[in-house]
Amino acid sequence: MRFRRNAAPWLIVMGAALAIALLSGTAPPLVAVTLIALFGAGVALSLINAAPSRLLEQSRSSLAAARMSSDAREASVRARRGGGFSSPDMTLLDIGLIAVQTGDAGMNMRRTRDVTLDDDGVRPFITLNVLPAAADRRSLVRFELRDGVGKVRYVHEMRPYLRAGDMNLLADHQLPLYANTDNIEPGDWDLRVSLDGNTIAEHVFTVSPSIEDRFSRARRLAVDGEAPAKSRLSEVETDAPMSLEDLLRGQADNGQKRAGR
């Protein structure tokens, strides 16, 4: 606690009056005790320097923490155990992956924790709640995808302008999966997110192998001497996907409908 400088003159006056009363010997014992108690209360109050705006921000931070998803809570705990740092002015509300797959019916986007090599690609996202104290500035957000042996397979950095309130941050680029020639291995992977150099989340997800007919198709292409087709990846990049807000809202509505059955 810091001492209030504007309280110093009052404390000096009170201290002088108390000293005179005690040294003169004219004050009855009960009065002397009362004066000492009042002076102590004044000193205690002068040490309290609680700003109402800060108390309001702490209240908002507590309310935001109550809205954290189970994935966000797990990812935050894993990050702290690994030496990460979380700012009291920002709360990780949600974290996850958006997988994209194209087919005869068009492009399908879904939130998932189980990615398959049949997917065209996958990109990470987070949702932050930013308090006014941390807003109105640019921040460096870094996404990393690491495979089962810890090798970094994907890095994307972005510099969003932070505004007070909830912010959805979706990576601009994806990690290609379908027809990827970089030997993507199935297994348990990690999504790590850092904010201004500090790790704020470590999210575990699974990369599953493709279905058997995908392997059969790859073998037929190898026998025919054809190169793996990558046109689906380009379609995903050129098509205009729905916003992250619409996707998360749609999945929440579907979950409520299933719960109501």
Side-chain angles (χ1 to χ4, degrees), residues 17-241:
L18 177 62
I20 292 173
L22 294 177
L23 293 176
S24 65
T26 57
L30 181 59
V31 175
V33 171
T34 302
L35 290 175
I36 293 174
L38 290 174
F39 182 75
V43 173
L45 290 175
S46 68
L47 293 176
I48 299 176
N49 191 19
S53 59
R54 188 58 185 172
L55 293 176
L56 179 60
E57 289 189 356
Q58 292 176 352
S59 176
R60 290 175 178 172
S61 178
S62 299
L63 293 175
R67 296 192 291 121
M68 293 175 67
S69 69
S70 58
D71 287 344
R73 292 183 187 279
E74 178 186 337
S76 297
V77 170
R78 286 174 56 88
R80 287 195 295 270
R81 288 176 179 173
F85 172 79
S86 58
S87 170
D89 297 324
M90 279 184 283
T91 303
L92 179 71
L93 296 181
D94 203 3
I95 185 172
L97 297 157
I98 303 299
V100 180
Q101 188 177 91
T102 55
D104 295 337
M107 182 175 61
N108 176 43
M109 297 176 63
R110 74 186 191 281
R111 172 179 177 167
T112 184
R113 198 165 178 171
D114 188 1
V115 179
T116 171
L117 293 181
D118 289 315
D119 293 322
D120 293 289
V122 64
R123 65 184 67 188
F125 78 89
I126 58 172
T127 301
L128 291 175
N129 177 265
V130 184
L131 294 182
D136 301 326
R137 65 182 179 87
R138 289 201 175 274
S139 183
L140 177 62
V141 178
R142 178 184 174 93
F143 296 99
E144 288 185 5
L145 298 180
R146 302 191 179 200
D147 62 16
V149 296
K151 181 179 179 180
V152 178
R153 295 300 190 124
Y154 169 94
V155 174
H156 178 71
E157 293 184 347
M158 54 195 306
R159 290 186 174 274
Y161 186 81
L162 300 183
R163 292 181 173 83
D166 294 354
M167 292 190 64
N168 291 317
L169 301 177
L170 175 65
D172 299 326
H173 304 289
Q174 67 177 4
L175 170 67
L177 296 174
Y178 174 74
N180 193 320
T181 59
D182 195 25
N183 192 25
I184 298 295
E185 293 291 339
D188 291 332
W189 287 41
D190 289 317
L191 161 61
R192 298 187 183 184
V193 184
S194 63
L195 185 68
D196 294 328
N198 297 311
T199 302
I200 63 171
E202 292 187 13
H203 180 66
V204 179
F205 65 99
T206 302
V207 176
S208 302
S210 60
I211 57 177
E212 182 61 27
D213 61 352
R214 182 63 56 81
F215 289 110
S216 299
R217 178 175 180 273
R219 286 195 295 269
R220 288 197 303 270
L221 290 174
V223 171
D224 296 339
E226 299 178 18
K230 298 184 179 181
S231 58
R232 296 177 66 196
L233 289 176
S234 60
E235 290 175 6
V236 175
E237 296 297 337
T238 56
D239 287 345

Side-chain angles (χ1 to χ4, degrees), residues 4-27:
R4 289 183 177 179
R5 293 183 178 180
N6 57 357
W10 295 102
L11 291 177
I12 293 174
V13 172
M14 290 179 61
L18 177 62
I20 292 173
L22 294 177
L23 293 176
S24 65
T26 57

